[in-house]
């Protein structure tokens, strides 16, 4: 039996441990190696604009992975993701900027505060489902906007606040990275930092969903009453999903404030703009694929990159207004919002499992070629 196990194809799954393995096929291992090479090489081959676009995508990828755990794997609809992003941004501003904490302290603190607030919202999911839960989480945006504006000593009030948090880990300062006698730009250093965090979040999420908690979350998503009957604790796993999702949203917000924008204001995370940001995160997991970790990253690459690219090349698109006095029928922001709405509609109607499903179908086609059908 041991000899058969050694000789069999890595595609042949005979044990449950093989089925849930992280790096179970040779092709997957090669793919991971290529991604590592791309991670190291991309900042040295692209200019700062495109690296900045990828950094923005990383922000959406971190928050998207968290929302996918909550919505894609546990079936809990949330429109309040922007509130937790704001909590993370202001945590970075306060602990990292005003208190001068190093990144290894302010980043876990931002995740801890976001996760704790998410755990407080979790029990609401025990009594509400679907649209009702979405409306309750929507209320977080308006409650959060009020708190962000009124808590002036921490948030800077309606004016907002500068985020001067350190992005250094020991001797490595990612804003002025120097390695082997070479000095790298801020955008290059932030790229390596953010995409390393994306990889860590993806690894955490993958380990959650392939183990007992992940199976329990998917059982709750598919039929929560039946899951409870067979012994799955709705309290533990719904609250846990909210906590993990909110912690990742807070981490994304912390980097949004400290590494990308470096200035945050309440209107970005509450009210109408907060709702747009929350819907953008929903678009990330719908376009990428709900219920898949790598789908969150694919969706972030599309949804996160499009606004920046459209803004950069808006002068070449005739119907867009590049300034208040220019010709055109749509502003860039309005066009982006319409585009996200259209993407959500198209993917829900044509391919509800998103880009991840297209990738899996393409992979299966080549895997079984020439007998694919």
């Amino acid at each position: 039996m041991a000899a058969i196990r050694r000789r069999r194809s890595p595609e042949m799954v005979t044990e449950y441990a093989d089925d849930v393995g992280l790096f179970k096929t040779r092709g997957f291992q090669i793919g991971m190696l290529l991604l590592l090479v791309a991670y190291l090489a991309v900042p040295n081959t692209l200019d700062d604009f495109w690296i900045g676009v990828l950094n923005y995508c990383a922000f959406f990828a971190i928050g998207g992975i968290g929302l996918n755990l909550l919505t894609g794997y546990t079936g809990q609809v949330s429109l309040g993701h922007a509130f937790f992003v704001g909590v993370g941004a202001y945590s970075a501003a306060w602990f990292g900027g005003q208190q001068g904490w190093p990144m290894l302290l302010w980043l876990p603190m931002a995740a801890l505060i976001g996760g704790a607030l998410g755990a407080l919202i979790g029990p609401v999911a025990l009594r509400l489902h679907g649209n009702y839960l979405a409306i309750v989480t929507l209320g977080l945006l308006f409650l959060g906007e009020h708190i962000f504006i009124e808590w002036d000593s921490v948030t800077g009030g309606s004016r907002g606040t500068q985020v001067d948090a350190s992005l250094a880990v020991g001797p490595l300062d990612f804003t002025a990275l120097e390695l082997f006698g070479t000095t790298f730009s801020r955008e290059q250093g932030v790229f390596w930092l953010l995409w390393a965090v994306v990889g860590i979040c993806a690894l955490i999420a993958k380990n959650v969903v392939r183990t007992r908690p992940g199976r329990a979350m998917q059982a709750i998503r598919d039929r929560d009453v039946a899951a409870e009957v067979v012994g799955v604790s709705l309290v533990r796993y719904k609250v846990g999903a909210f906590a993990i999702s909110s912690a990742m949203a807070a981490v994304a917000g912390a980097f949004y404030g400290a590494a990308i924008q470096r200035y945050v204001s309440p209107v970005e995370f509450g009210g109408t703009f907060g709702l747009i940001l929350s819907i953008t995160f929903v678009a990330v997991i719908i376009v990428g694929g709900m219920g898949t970790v790598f789908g969150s990253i694919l969706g972030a690459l599309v949804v996160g990159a499009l606004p920046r690219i459209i803004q950069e090349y808006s002068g070449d698109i005739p119907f867009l207004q590049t300034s208040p006095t220019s010709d055109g029928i749509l502003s860039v922001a309005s066009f982006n919002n319409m585009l996200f709405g259209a993407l959500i509609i198209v993917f829900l109607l044509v391919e509800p499992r998103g880009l991840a499903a297209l990738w899996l179908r393409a992979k299966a086609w080549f895997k079984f070629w020439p007998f694919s059908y």
Side-chain angles (χ1 to χ4, degrees):
M1 186 63 188
I4 294 173
R5 189 178 297 118
R6 284 197 299 271
R7 292 174 184 175
R8 65 176 170 77
S9 165
E11 304 291 343
M12 180 181 176
V13 176
T14 58
E15 296 179 0
Y16 183 72
D18 295 334
D19 193 38
V20 298
L22 274 180
F23 308 105
K24 53 189 177 185
T25 65
R26 184 64 56 85
F28 190 84
Q29 294 166 4
I30 293 173
M32 289 294 102
L33 185 61
L34 291 176
L35 283 179
L36 178 61
V37 171
Y39 168 74
L40 296 174
V42 161
N44 293 310
T45 55
L46 299 178
D47 61 30
D48 276 356
F49 167 73
W50 288 104
I51 298 174
V53 170
L54 291 174
N55 290 344
Y56 204 64
C57 295
F59 155 66
F60 279 108
I62 297 169
I65 291 171
L67 187 61
N68 220 334
L69 283 176
L70 179 66
T71 303
Y73 283 98
T74 319
Q76 306 302 299
V77 181
S78 174
L79 291 178
H81 215 53
F83 167 73
F84 299 105
V85 172
V87 169
Y90 282 116
S91 296
W94 172 255
F95 292 109
Q98 298 186 37
Q99 303 301 314
W101 288 15
M103 186 173 69
L104 290 180
L105 289 180
W106 64 254
L107 186 60
M109 181 58 72
L112 186 63
I113 294 174
L117 290 174
L120 290 177
I121 303 302
V124 176
L126 298 173
R127 300 180 61 86
L128 300 174
H129 300 271
N131 296 336
Y132 297 103
L133 181 59
I135 291 172
V136 168
T137 55
L138 179 62
L140 281 176
L141 300 177
F142 298 94
L143 180 63
E145 184 181 30
H146 179 74
I147 294 173
F148 294 151
I149 291 175
E150 296 299 325
W151 202 355
D152 188 87
S153 60
V154 174
T155 65
S158 58
R159 301 182 309 277
T161 185
Q162 197 81 23
V163 186
D164 294 322
S166 167
L167 294 178
V169 178
L172 288 178
D173 184 355
F174 289 93
T175 60
L177 198 60
E178 288 189 28
L179 291 174
F180 309 112
T182 304
T183 302
F184 298 94
S185 70
R186 176 187 172 86
E187 295 292 346
Q188 289 173 309
V190 169
F191 173 91
W192 279 313
L193 173 62
L194 290 187
W195 281 97
V197 175
V198 170
I200 292 171
C201 289
L203 188 61
I204 292 172
K206 192 66 181 174
N207 274 300
V208 168
V209 300
R210 75 193 182 98
T211 53
R212 179 185 175 89
R215 295 191 293 275
M217 290 158 60
Q218 292 168 69
I220 292 171
R221 175 196 63 191
D222 296 337
R223 191 72 67 178
D224 57 350
V225 175
E228 190 173 23
V229 168
V230 298
V232 174
S233 170
L234 299 188
V235 177
R236 178 187 300 171
Y237 293 110
K238 283 190 176 183
V239 173
F242 263 101
I244 296 174
S245 171
S246 305
M248 288 190 180
V251 169
F255 282 123
Y256 176 80
I260 297 177
Q261 293 293 97
R262 289 182 277 174
Y263 188 91
V264 292
S265 63
V267 295
E268 295 179 82
F269 312 112
T272 305
F273 289 102
L275 178 59
I276 292 173
L277 181 59
S278 291
I279 291 175
T280 305
F281 276 108
V282 173
V284 165
I285 63 172
I286 289 177
V287 171
M290 286 194 288
T292 55
V293 175
F294 77 95
S296 308
I297 300 173
L298 292 178
L301 288 171
V302 174
V303 176
L306 277 177
R308 295 300 181 94
I309 296 173
I310 291 172
Q311 180 71 47
E312 180 71 11
Y313 296 101
S314 59
D316 299 325
I317 304 175
F319 58 85
L320 290 184
Q321 291 178 335
T322 55
S323 68
T325 57
S326 66
D327 295 331
I329 57 175
L330 282 176
S331 67
V332 174
S334 299
F335 179 68
N336 286 332
N337 294 337
M338 292 175 63
L339 188 61
F340 290 155
L343 284 174
I344 291 174
I345 293 171
V346 168
F347 272 91
L348 284 178
L349 290 175
V350 178
E351 183 46 86
R353 294 186 300 160
L355 294 172
L358 299 179
W359 163 253
L360 292 174
R361 277 210 295 272
K363 192 170 75 168
W365 191 89
F366 284 106
K367 180 178 175 182
F368 296 111
W369 189 86
F371 303 106
S372 306
Y373 58 92

